[in-house]
Amino acid sequence: MGTEAPECVPERPARARRRAWVQWAPLTLLTLAVLAGAALWFAGVTGAARLVWAAVTVVALVPAVWTTLRQLWRRQFGVDVIAVLALLGALLVREYLAGAVIAVMVATGQALEEYARRRATRDLRALLERAPRQARRRTADGGIEVVPLDAVRAGDRLVVGPGDVVPVDGTVEEPATLDESVVTGESRLVGRAAGEQVASGVVNAGAGFGLRARRNAAESTYAGIVRLAGEATARKAPMVRLADRYAAAFVPFTLLLAGAAWLLSGEFVRAVAVLVVATPCPLLLATPIAVVSGLSRVARRGVLVRDGGSLEQLGRARTLLLDKTGTLTAGRPRAAETVVAPGGDRDEVLRLAASVEQLSPHVLAAALVRQARERGVPLAEPTGVTEEPGRGVTGHVDGCLVRVGQLAGEPPEWADRARERAERAGLSTVWVGDEHGPLGAILLEDPVRPDARRTVRRLREAGLSRLVMVTGDRPRTAAQVAQVVGVDDVIARCSPGEKAQRVREESARAVTVMVGDGVNDAPALAEAHVGVAMGATGATASADVADAVLTVDRLDRLADAVEIARYARRIAVQSATVGMGLAVLAMLVAAAGRLPPVAGAFLQEGIDVLVILNALRALGGGLRRREVPPHTRELLDRYSGEHGGVRDVLARLRDTADLVATRPDDPGCVPALRDVHRRLVDEVLPHEAAEERHLYPALAGPLGSDEATSTMSRAHVEIARLVERIGGHLAASPDGRLRREEVTDLLAALYGLDAVLRLHLAQEEEDYFSLNPSDGEASPDR
């Protein structure tokens, strides 16, 4: 029993300082010894100076010999052999200063490589260091006990204190303020309302709150991330193994060149000079540093890549296959529109449906309840709720029978039109009725991610030449999504086995990446050269077989990862090529007797430092997108939030247009028209005007110019013109009745405004709001 915070083990400052000392101590001591020898030399004590440099050479030679012998015992053959021969040769020809410089050079390379490795993997280590070990659990008698994390089970009621790490995936029981940066990469705090789900690993940045566990610790999001992070070390990529093969050819070439120089000139010192210049091989330094740097960068962008090989493959990819649901679309249905019977109330239909569905675990039920809460519709407690699989839910709300689900019997004319509209738009329909018949229908959509089309464009710019969408959905719905996002091909009604077969076929032609989020995607992910799982959705099976996991629910992170992988690979090849080319030139000069060992040692030191520093460039750069200033992010966040209200007005606008089209003489027609016009004037037009004044000028920098928003400004003008046109028709109908001759023009204005406004909102969300880091965007590389 107790209240201490769940344990989290960060790296202590003393331990960090000790590791830094161990990392840099050999180089520091060897450098000081060489400088001491130089001081003795200039003081005229040359014998002592040579003795100090000889000692430095021996100190470096002993561990180098030991390392080389261990590698040879393991049948590993690398350039350490050249380092040993160079140090030994320097001692034999009494070029002690050259030997000392080689020693410093080897220590410098080791220190810089260790620094780069630690610098590149610090984000991965941070995941491991802050993993929770304990949790606070409520007891049956109302107390709180601290238990090991392994003891937590689904359904347990936990308490998350201020500053605590959320130990398991769960549902918050009261409002919470969270720091989700470790899991999502987003540095800004987010609020979660009661009933919302949270992932393990996020930090409580506000007051304590209750949490109902949904999974045990081993199955939770953070545990999966930690497992992957533990594997995401710099295991040798195919690029690095290629470097080893080059090294196997380079060592014999070096020995032959050194031997030829000795035999042809009769000067052993030339052979030593060749060995000195060839030590160590830049290829083996530059490649792993660049690859590990790339692993670190993609981790900071919210993508955990399993190993260096996967990163290198990602950098070579030419074909991309994407699942639709949960990858290109949000994967969570939302209420797009509510259609009601003549004289019905949209809010009342939504209230009845959401009230009954509160007890249903179905994904469509969750969408209805979420929509009602977002619109502030008060829900009643249902009674006598029963659910018939495949048909729907029945219950009583305020004493009245309510049915939610499939439509039974012959539909009335308005319901038939609503069903046809839903089928044409690719929407799902949930019918709401009572004992007398249908009251209305709620049309549900799985919206395309706002960042999907922009991400597809960025992937093409990064070098992916073929993008294919694979889905088990209906052909019409799949084709609509494919047209919106701009992929090259679409394969609908695709079973898990067919997905895997298609990935195999594409992989035979080019390096292929497969992106998916569900358990059914696991076979396809395993078949791809690089399988990428949308891990933020909690698809454990797909994440377990994937080579990379997106820890944030944003597809644009994949484009980040591809761009970073290509950049890291390009830096690795560039560094290795330049370093090897310079080394070979220096070796030829040394073989000709134009470069003595001491000068060669200093030259090779410079070459090695050059390629290592160049490889470290992989820690930054390579991303094409522009960063958004904080003030602009706030504006994007504000106006994005207002789109929900605009869409509500849009739904009213469509209902009113349908009413005018079908029953223009209805007494309620003009009042409905006046109400929607009032909301357009009071809510929509001020929103558009504020965007024009504040948001669009702020976007000029991130988008490159003021002209980037000019077409959207033109849409604002058209929206205002159509609203004024509708107002003109109302002004011409003071008696509350529409003139027959005006109905056609009024309908053109209503439906035209509906189309323009819907397109305008979609364009803003795709082109502007998808730039907003508050939707999960990682902060810039830092």
Side-chain angles (χ1 to χ4, degrees):
M1 190 76 67
T3 58
E4 65 269 24
E7 183 182 354
C8 182
V9 184
E11 184 175 28
R12 296 181 177 86
R15 184 186 304 172
R17 288 194 297 270
R18 190 161 55 248
R19 286 182 177 178
W21 165 249
V22 171
Q23 173 183 326
W24 295 103
L27 174 60
T28 303
L29 295 176
L30 290 176
T31 303
L32 290 175
V34 172
L35 292 176
L40 291 172
W41 179 275
F42 287 114
V45 191
T46 57
R50 292 170 60 82
L51 184 61
V52 170
W53 290 333
V56 170
T57 305
V58 172
V59 167
L61 178 61
V62 172
V65 168
W66 174 247
T67 301
T68 301
L69 290 176
R70 284 197 307 170
Q71 290 179 341
L72 293 175
W73 178 259
R74 297 171 184 169
R75 297 183 179 180
Q76 296 174 348
F77 187 70
V79 292
D80 288 332
V81 173
I82 300 177
V84 170
L85 294 176
L87 289 168
L88 186 59
L91 288 175
L92 291 176
V93 299
R94 299 185 180 182
E95 290 282 358
Y96 301 129
L97 177 57
V101 173
I102 295 171
V104 172
M105 176 176 55
V106 173
T108 301
Q110 291 172 345
L112 283 175
E113 188 172 7
E114 177 63 16
Y115 164 75
R117 186 191 65 80
R118 291 186 56 78
R119 167 69 174 82
T121 58
R122 68 180 184 182
D123 300 284
L124 302 182
R125 292 197 313 273
L127 289 170
L128 301 173
E129 290 165 353
R130 51 187 313 286
R133 268 71 173 178
Q134 299 173 331
R136 295 193 188 98
R137 184 171 62 187
R138 297 186 187 274
T139 60
D141 58 2
I144 298 175
E145 60 179 351
V146 176
V147 298
L149 201 59
D150 293 342
V152 176
R153 297 290 179 266
D156 285 354
R157 297 186 64 207
L158 310 177
V159 175
V160 182
D164 286 358
V165 177
V166 174
V168 296
D169 293 354
T171 304
V172 296
E173 296 182 327
E174 51 254 340
T177 302
L178 302 172
D179 173 6
E180 300 184 345
S181 58
V182 169
V183 174
T184 68
E186 166 53 40
S187 59
R188 298 171 64 185
L189 302 181
V190 297
R192 297 296 180 196
E196 289 195 64
Q197 296 179 358
V198 297
S200 58
V202 304
V203 178
N204 180 15
F209 62 89
L211 179 78
R212 174 79 68 171
R214 292 190 300 116
R215 296 188 179 97
N216 61 31
E219 298 173 348
S220 290
T221 300
Y222 195 73
I225 294 174
V226 169
R227 281 196 300 271
L228 189 59
E231 298 172 2
T233 54
R235 292 208 298 257
K236 290 190 175 181
M239 186 70 190
V240 180
R241 290 194 293 269
L242 182 62
D244 285 340
R245 290 198 295 272
Y246 283 152
F250 181 74
V251 171
F253 169 76
T254 300
L255 296 177
L256 287 173
L257 183 61
W262 182 13
L263 289 175
L264 294 176
S265 67
E267 299 176 5
F268 181 62
V269 70
R270 291 195 185 189
V272 174
V274 172
L275 294 173
V276 167
V277 173
T279 309
C281 178
L283 185 66
L284 294 184
L285 291 175
T287 305
I289 289 174
V291 170
V292 177
S293 299
L295 287 174
S296 172
R297 289 193 64 205
V298 296
R300 284 204 301 274
R301 311 307 289 194
V303 184
L304 284 179
V305 180
R306 193 177 296 274
D307 53 42
S310 300
L311 186 80
E312 196 269 343
Q313 291 280 57
L314 192 61
R316 297 174 52 232
R318 290 292 179 269
T319 301
L320 176 68
L321 290 90
L322 305 100
D323 181 45
K324 178 183 77 70
T325 305
T327 301
L328 291 172
T329 65
R332 292 192 310 168
R334 75 177 183 190
E337 188 178 349
T338 302
V339 181
V340 296
D345 186 326
R346 295 170 65 251
D347 285 346
E348 178 62 14
V349 169
L350 179 61
R351 184 186 78 88
L352 294 174
S355 295
V356 171
E357 293 281 21
Q358 287 180 96
L359 303 181
S360 174
H362 198 278
V363 63
L364 298 183
L368 297 180
V369 174
R370 183 169 58 250
Q371 176 75 0
R373 286 174 175 167
E374 288 176 356
R375 295 184 55 181
V377 176
L379 302 183
E381 183 176 350
T383 58
V385 177
T386 59
E387 183 166 0
E388 185 179 352
R391 298 196 59 83
V393 179
T394 302
H396 288 80
V397 177
D398 299 332
C400 299
L401 178 69
V402 178
R403 294 188 177 93
V404 181
Q406 297 293 325
L407 181 64
E410 187 68 23
E413 183 181 354
W414 69 268
D416 201 43
R417 288 197 304 270
R419 182 164 57 186
E420 291 177 359
R421 181 195 304 178
E423 289 178 356
R424 285 194 299 269
L427 306 178
S428 302
T429 307
V430 175
W431 295 95
V432 185
D434 56 14
E435 64 269 20
H436 304 297
L439 300 173
I442 301 174
L443 309 186
L444 298 171
E445 65 176 348
D446 183 9
V448 175
R449 292 176 181 269
D451 59 339
R453 187 174 180 85
R454 176 184 294 274
T455 300
V456 167
R457 290 199 300 265
R458 286 183 58 202
L459 289 168
R460 291 192 190 280
E461 293 170 359
L464 288 163
S465 56
R466 176 168 168 77
L467 287 85
V468 181
M469 187 181 81
V470 290
T471 178
D473 211 339
R474 294 167 296 176
R476 172 179 287 184
T477 303
Q480 290 174 346
V481 173
Q483 186 176 25
V484 169
V485 300
V487 296
D488 298 312
D489 194 8
V490 57
I491 306 168
R493 296 196 185 280
C494 198
S495 68
E498 291 170 338
K499 284 184 183 180
Q501 177 61 32
R502 188 56 184 253
V503 172
R504 279 194 295 271
E505 294 173 0
E506 297 289 347
S507 298
R509 292 190 286 267
V511 177
T512 299
V513 178
M514 170 68 194
V515 185
D517 79 312
V519 173
N520 63 326
D521 295 321
L525 295 178
E527 291 288 346
H529 289 102
V530 182
V532 181
M534 302 289 287
T537 59
T540 306
S542 59
D544 283 346
V545 302
D547 301 294
V549 175
L550 298 176
T551 63
V552 59
D553 195 23
R554 283 182 67 100
L555 184 62
D556 63 346
R557 298 301 178 79
L558 177 62
D560 289 351
V562 171
E563 290 177 356
I564 290 171
R566 291 193 185 281
Y567 183 71
R569 184 172 179 269
R570 186 165 65 249
I571 292 295
V573 172
Q574 179 191 89
S575 300
T577 303
V578 171
M580 290 293 294
L582 292 175
V584 169
L585 287 175
M587 290 162 60
L588 293 173
V589 174
R594 301 294 184 181
L595 190 64
V598 174
F602 282 108
L603 177 61
Q604 185 58 47
E605 173 83 0
I607 293 174
D608 289 333
V609 172
L610 175 66
V611 297
I612 289 173
L613 293 178
N614 188 66
L616 285 172
R617 290 172 50 219
L619 287 168
L623 288 175
R624 289 180 172 84
R625 64 177 175 180
R626 300 170 182 264
E627 296 298 342
V628 181
H631 174 65
T632 307
R633 295 180 190 176
E634 293 174 2
L635 291 175
L636 288 168
D637 205 26
R638 179 198 310 171
Y639 294 114
S640 174
E642 292 179 4
H643 269 203
V646 176
R647 289 189 185 280
D648 186 54
V649 178
L650 258 178
R652 299 285 185 181
L653 175 66
R654 180 60 184 262
D655 287 348
T656 303
D658 290 346
L659 179 61
V660 173
T662 56
R663 300 193 308 279
D665 297 326
D666 191 297
C669 188
V670 171
L673 191 60
R674 292 189 187 281
D675 180 67
V676 76
H677 180 262
R678 177 189 59 79
R679 294 194 63 182
L680 286 167
V681 172
D682 294 346
E683 299 177 35
V684 176
L685 292 186
H687 167 81
E688 306 295 341
E691 284 186 331
E692 191 70 40
R693 287 194 307 271
H694 304 297
L695 178 61
Y696 288 7
L699 287 171
L703 295 177
S705 72
D706 293 328
E707 293 300 316
T709 58
S710 60
T711 55
M712 307 299 283
S713 296
R714 180 65 182 84
H716 283 168
V717 174
E718 183 64 16
I719 290 168
R721 189 186 70 81
L722 289 170
V723 172
E724 183 179 356
R725 185 169 157 190
I726 294 169
H729 282 288
L730 285 171
S733 306
D735 57 353
R737 300 182 65 85
L738 295 175
R739 301 177 189 175
R740 279 285 179 180
E741 63 271 17
E742 294 183 351
V743 169
T744 302
D745 187 69
L746 176 60
L747 285 175
L750 289 170
Y751 285 121
L753 179 59
D754 176 79
V756 171
L757 197 48
R758 287 182 189 277
L759 178 61
H760 181 67
L761 294 181
Q763 288 176 322
E764 282 190 330
E765 290 168 358
E766 175 187 317
D767 293 333
Y768 302 159
F769 298 160
S770 63
L771 297 172
N772 188 7
S774 68
D775 292 331
E777 178 80 13
S779 57
D781 285 341
R782 53 198 182 274

